[in-house]
Amino acid sequence: MDPGIDDAWALTVICALKRLKGVSTVAGNVPLDNTFGNARRVLGVLGVDNAPVLPGAEGPLMSRLITAKAFHGDKGLGEWEGDIAPVSPHTPRVWSWWDDHAQELTTSHLIATGPLTNLAIGALAFPRLTDTWRSVTCMCGALPGAQVDKAQEFNIYVDPHAADIVFHWVKRLRLIGINVAHRALIPVSDLARLERYGRVGQMLSGMLQFYSERSRGEGGDPGAFPIDDVVAVAAVAEPDLFSWQELPLAVVREGPLRGTVVVSPIDLNRQPVRVAVDVDVHGFREWLWDAMSAFAASASTPL
Ligand code: RIB
Ligand code: CA
C-alpha cells in the first residue's frame, strides 16, 4: 500500500475484521518515507502493535516517481501532520521478508493498493512468491474496454512495467479496477457516521474530509467520492458482492496509452486474471459500515 488516505481506511477495515497479517508500503501517493511512516502511525491509532510493517521500493521500476499529493496531502494523510523518520537503508525490504515467510503466507491473501513495484520485485527476485498467496488482489487499472471516468488509473500509471510483470507471473490474481471502484462511491453525508467510532473515527474523519473535497465527483456523483482501496478489501472479504470475468491481461507500458490494461495477445500465453466487472454498491456500503461498527466499542477513547 501507499498510504494515502483511502489506503488508511482500507487498513482500518482489515484491522476491524481482525484479518491483518502484515503491512508493506511502496512509493506512490507520497514517497516511501511517508507511506512507511503513515502505515505505522495509522496502526498506532488502531492500537495494532503486533503486525510487521516492512518498507519496499522507493520508486517505480523504469521511471521517476509520480505522486498524488494533490489528493492525499504533502505527507499523504491530509492535514494529519507529524514528523516522519526516513526509512533506514538497513531495514529489511518486504520482498526478503515475504521469501523468509513464504510457507506461512500460503494461507493468506495479499491485497495491493498502491503501485505494484514491491510485488514485481518479489516475483522476479524470489519466483516462488508468484505461487504463494491464496489470492493476490490488485487495485489498479480498469477492465479492458470498460467505460471509465479517468483515462489512467494512478497505481498502474505510476509503474506500468511492474503491473505487466505481475500480470505475467503471479498466480491467483484478481483485479479491482476503477470501472467498479468508481461505482462503489461513498456519499459525503455518510462521513458523519465516523463520529461513532472514537479516536479511529476522528482520525478517518479528518483525512476523509480532506480527500472527499478533492475527489468528490469522480465516478460521476457530485455528492459522493471513491474509496478505491477499501473496495479491494471488500473484494477479498465479500467476493460475492462482485461479478467477475476471467481474462489474460497485459499493460501498455510506454507512450500516450501508458497504464492501459488490455486483453493479452495470445502469444504471451498469460494465465487468466479474475477481473471485477460489476459491484453491488448497496451491499458494499452495508458491508463497510458493518465492519466499522467493530470500533463502536472503543468510542470512549478520543485521539
Ligand atoms: O487510482 C486509485 C489508487 O491510486 C488508490 O490506490 C489511491 O490510494 C492511489 O494510490
Ligand atoms: Ca493506494
Side-chain angles (χ1 to χ4, degrees):
M1 59 172 42
D2 60 341
I5 293 171
D6 59 333
D7 304 77
W9 201 354
L11 181 55
T12 300
V13 174
I14 293 173
C15 292
L17 298 171
K18 301 196 184 328
R19 301 282 296 273
L20 184 68
K21 177 84 181 178
V23 182
S24 72
T25 76
V26 65
N29 287 319
V30 287
L32 178 67
D33 289 348
N34 295 87
T35 61
F36 185 62
N38 290 344
R40 295 167 67 162
R41 290 170 67 194
V42 170
L43 288 174
V45 173
L46 297 172
V48 174
D49 58 7
N50 58 351
V53 184
L54 287 305
E58 304 196 6
L61 296 180
M62 303 285 284
S63 52
R64 64 176 180 78
L65 177 62
I66 298 166
T67 63
K69 292 179 180 178
F71 285 88
H72 297 270
D74 284 347
K75 295 194 174 180
L77 295 178
E79 287 161 353
W80 207 41
E81 291 288 319
D83 293 330
I84 296 272
V87 175
S88 157
H90 307 296
T91 304
R93 298 290 143 147
V94 61
W95 39 85
S96 304
W97 190 90
W98 281 334
D99 189 54
D100 292 342
H101 297 78
Q103 193 49 49
E104 67 187 85
L105 291 174
T106 56
T107 59
S108 296
H109 298 273
L110 178 72
I111 303 175
T113 63
L116 294 174
T117 320
N118 291 353
L119 187 51
I121 294 171
L124 294 176
F126 306 102
R128 70 172 172 168
L129 293 177
T130 62
D131 193 7
T132 288
W133 289 277
R134 280 178 64 188
S135 71
V136 175
T137 299
C138 302
M139 192 281 125
C140 74
L143 171 73
Q147 182 69 30
V148 291
D149 59 301
K150 279 180 118 171
Q152 308 297 7
E153 186 280 320
F154 177 81
N155 289 335
I156 204 164
Y157 185 77
V158 166
D159 200 340
H161 298 84
D164 202 46
I165 289 166
V166 168
F167 288 0
H168 185 81
W169 293 109
V170 176
K171 296 191 177 358
R172 294 179 296 283
L173 208 51
R174 297 176 190 166
L175 184 69
I176 293 295
I178 53 174
N179 55 292
V180 293
H182 283 196
R183 292 201 59 238
L185 302 171
I186 295 296
V188 176
S189 55
D190 274 10
L191 292 183
R193 300 176 68 154
L194 291 169
E195 289 164 15
R196 308 172 192 172
Y197 306 128
R199 55 189 281 134
V200 173
Q202 199 180 352
M203 169 187 76
L204 289 175
S205 183
M207 291 181 201
L208 289 160
Q209 189 59 42
F210 183 99
Y211 189 67
S212 62
E213 286 166 2
R214 289 155 179 80
S215 57
R216 173 196 295 236
E218 286 199 333
D221 176 348
F225 67 100
I227 47 167
D228 306 314
D229 296 339
V230 180
V231 180
V233 175
V236 178
E238 293 291 343
D240 291 346
L241 288 175
F242 299 78
S243 48
W244 304 88
Q245 189 176 354
E246 307 271 333
L247 286 169
L249 299 180
V251 183
V252 177
R253 293 167 301 223
E254 309 282 353
L257 293 178
R258 166 179 162 166
T260 304
V261 178
V262 295
V263 177
S264 170
I266 195 80
D267 61 331
L268 289 184
N269 192 28
R270 293 204 167 164
Q271 77 225 301
V273 174
R274 207 163 146 72
V275 187
V277 295
D278 203 355
V279 58
D280 169 358
V281 178
H282 177 70
F284 165 72
R285 290 174 184 170
E286 276 204 324
W287 165 83
L288 172 58
W289 294 113
D290 181 57
M292 286 300 294
S293 65
F295 293 111
S298 66
S300 58
T301 51
L303 260 179

